[in-house]
Amino acid sequence: MGKRFFKQTIHDVDLRHKTVLVRVDYNVPLLENGEISDDLRIRASLPTLKYLLSQHCKIVLISHLGRPQGRDEKYSLAPVAVRLSELLDYPVKFVDDCVGDKVRQTVRRSSGAVILLENLRFYPEEEADDTQFARSIARASQADYFVQDGFAVVHRKHASTHEITMYVPGVAGDLVRAEYDAITRAMLSPKRPLVAIIGGAKVSDKIGMIHEFINKADQILIGGAMANTFLEYKGYNMGKSRVEPGQHDVIRQIYQAVERKVGRERSDAFLLLPTDVAVAESPDSQERREVNVANIGVNDMALDIGMQTIERYTAALAHAGTIVWNGPVGLAETSTFAIGSARLSLAIAQNKHALSVVGGGDTADFVLKWDGHDGAAFSHVSTGGGASLALMAGKKLPGIESLLDAYGLGVVH
Ligand code: ADP
Ligand code: 3PG
Ligand code: MG
């Protein structure tokens, strides 16, 4: 990996025979029937886990899954334990809680198995970065070290990514290190033009990042529910489309920054919005109707970008030097509304000169299935969505910042 990482890693400390608490991101996309749709995030955790096993560590894994409101079996990590055990080829013991006596007893008694604890977000204290909760996790796990390997969640300041390091010294795992290196390398002096595609549904999480991208990118292509929110701001009737309310001020500031950079007359050629969309009256519909954005009906949902938009976006991608993509540009889980995302994937794959970084749980799920070659058509498929965007935008990541400094005295800050 070359140069030393700015934080201590699992290779900098003596972990032999230690108990380690490992924060992974097993927030995997699930199918309607609860099956795991894509196990990239589980596979990506294997190098660290194999290294820890080689050091004879007792491994206690913690993760979130989805955004449950309290305990909700639909978001249980139990199915992940089964898949992890198959992939790691090692027993995985699942505990249906992440704090308390049951966890403590299991950790004390178990040997010859990796332990996976239940979804951290069954407790609201997790997202509140609650210090007592972090201490309870640390105590229950009896860990000597905390290993941060959930790259996709390091942009969150939560109990298991931040406050936990007050109670257990934290070091970085191999995935965090590899993702950090790949993404920062791509952004350091990117080959121009740099084209960013931003789509998906986590609008309020990601919209602020667009602002950060205005100076770095040469063109920004907007799709998905993010595009719906921009189109609604522009005054288009979006019918029953998914639109995130309360974003007008942020969008206004985005346009002001774009105008400062490229001038008013060029702003729509810098920040591209769909000019046509594929609509239906239900996400389950198998019929795809394409309409100009000015003709969306009151009962229509915009579920993908339209053909004219696909042509404009793929033309921009064809001459890009660097491409970053987060968030599908449509309902990519359904074949009817995955056309836009598939055509963008193809355009990226065809541009052999561009360095491409594609990220996000759902985006990675889509491109890996589209590619069928484990992402060989892309330079880097990141496990992180919001996290990779934040890193590209140059933001500090609380889940990494809280780890032990590589050159300091090991002081947690
Ligand atoms: P990622 O997981 O890659 O970071 P997000 O979680 O932000 O991306 O968004 C992915 C979700 O966005 C997918 O479930 C996809 O179906 C949804 N989505 C994309 N476009 C639309 C749209 N037009 N309307 C509703 N949902 C959409
Ligand atoms: C992700 O999928 O981006 C991460 O797992 C973080 O999930 P969150 O956006 O619900 O915090
Ligand atoms: Mg997602």
Side-chain angles (χ1 to χ4, degrees), residues 27 29 41 67 200-202 206 326-328 333 360-363 385:
N27 181 23
R41 285 178 170 178
R67 293 174 170 182
K202 289 181 178 174
K206 295 175 181 173
N326 175 261
E333 300 91 330
D362 295 291
T363 314

Side-chain angles (χ1 to χ4, degrees), residues 126-142:
E126 160 63 0
E127 288 176 82
D129 196 18
D130 184 274
T131 199
Q132 311 296 347
F133 181 64
R135 190 170 54 198
S136 302
I137 300 169
R139 289 222 171 129
S141 71
Q142 299 146 78

Side-chain angles (χ1 to χ4, degrees), residues 99-171:
V99 286
D101 220 41
K102 203 190 255 180
V103 176
R104 205 177 353 255
Q105 295 303 337
T106 309
V107 176
R108 189 166 296 152
R109 289 200 198 110
S110 92
S111 64
V114 168
I115 299 164
L116 173 64
L117 306 184
E118 184 54 291
N119 195 342
L120 294 157
R121 291 192 185 170
F122 284 180
Y123 291 89
E125 290 89 341
E126 160 63 0
E127 288 176 82
D129 196 18
D130 184 274
T131 199
Q132 311 296 347
F133 181 64
R135 190 170 54 198
S136 302
I137 300 169
R139 289 222 171 129
S141 71
Q142 299 146 78
D144 301 299
Y145 278 99
F146 169 71
V147 174
Q148 176 54 271
D149 214 27
F151 175 72
V153 76
V154 292
H155 60 313
R156 300 287 182 218
K157 197 173 175 188
H158 292 172
S160 70
T161 61
H162 178 255
E163 205 60 20
I164 189 79
T165 59
M166 293 294 157
Y167 301 103
V168 198
V171 297

Side-chain angles (χ1 to χ4, degrees), residues 134-336:
R135 190 170 54 198
S136 302
I137 300 169
R139 289 222 171 129
S141 71
Q142 299 146 78
D144 301 299
Y145 278 99
F146 169 71
V147 174
Q148 176 54 271
D149 214 27
F151 175 72
V153 76
V154 292
H155 60 313
R156 300 287 182 218
K157 197 173 175 188
H158 292 172
S160 70
T161 61
H162 178 255
E163 205 60 20
I164 189 79
T165 59
M166 293 294 157
Y167 301 103
V168 198
V171 297
D174 286 341
L175 176 64
V176 160
R177 168 85 201 263
E179 289 263 27
Y180 191 95
D181 284 350
I183 293 170
T184 46
R185 209 178 310 121
M187 295 304 286
L188 197 59
S189 47
K191 203 163 110 191
R192 303 255 167 211
L194 190 161
V195 180
I197 311 164
I198 302 182
K202 289 181 178 174
V203 176
S204 54
D205 277 358
K206 295 175 181 173
I207 201 163
M209 237 67 85
I210 296 178
H211 205 271
E212 309 281 340
F213 261 96
I214 295 169
N215 282 327
K216 294 187 191 285
D218 298 295
Q219 224 171 11
I220 301 176
L221 319 179
I222 308 284
M226 181 73 82
N228 296 347
T229 308
F230 272 79
L231 291 167
E232 192 262 349
Y233 168 85
K234 288 252 179 185
Y236 292 104
N237 160 42
M238 295 309 292
K240 296 218 159 61
S241 307
R242 183 165 175 164
V243 170
E244 187 114 343
Q247 302 301 324
H248 282 204
D249 285 347
V250 189
I251 298 180
R252 189 172 306 112
Q253 284 161 18
I254 287 173
Y255 276 113
Q256 282 165 357
V258 170
E259 284 170 21
R260 274 197 300 278
K261 176 167 176 164
V262 298
R264 176 164 294 192
E265 64 292 346
R266 290 200 52 235
S267 67
D268 289 336
F270 176 84
L271 186 84
L272 275 69
L273 295 183
T275 43
D276 61 341
V277 285
V279 297
E281 293 199 358
S282 144
D284 306 322
S285 167
Q286 315 224 326
E287 192 209 338
R288 183 185 160 97
R289 245 179 330 112
E290 301 229 346
V291 296
N292 184 284
V293 289
N295 298 325
I296 299 170
V298 281
N299 290 318
D300 285 342
M301 304 174 96
L303 297 169
D304 196 7
I305 55 175
M307 289 302 167
Q308 193 184 71
T309 305
I310 289 174
E311 291 309 320
R312 286 166 56 234
Y313 285 14
T314 53
L317 294 172
H319 72 270
T322 305
I323 299 164
V324 300
W325 179 10
N326 175 261
V329 292
L331 209 72
E333 300 91 330
T334 67
S335 54
T336 315

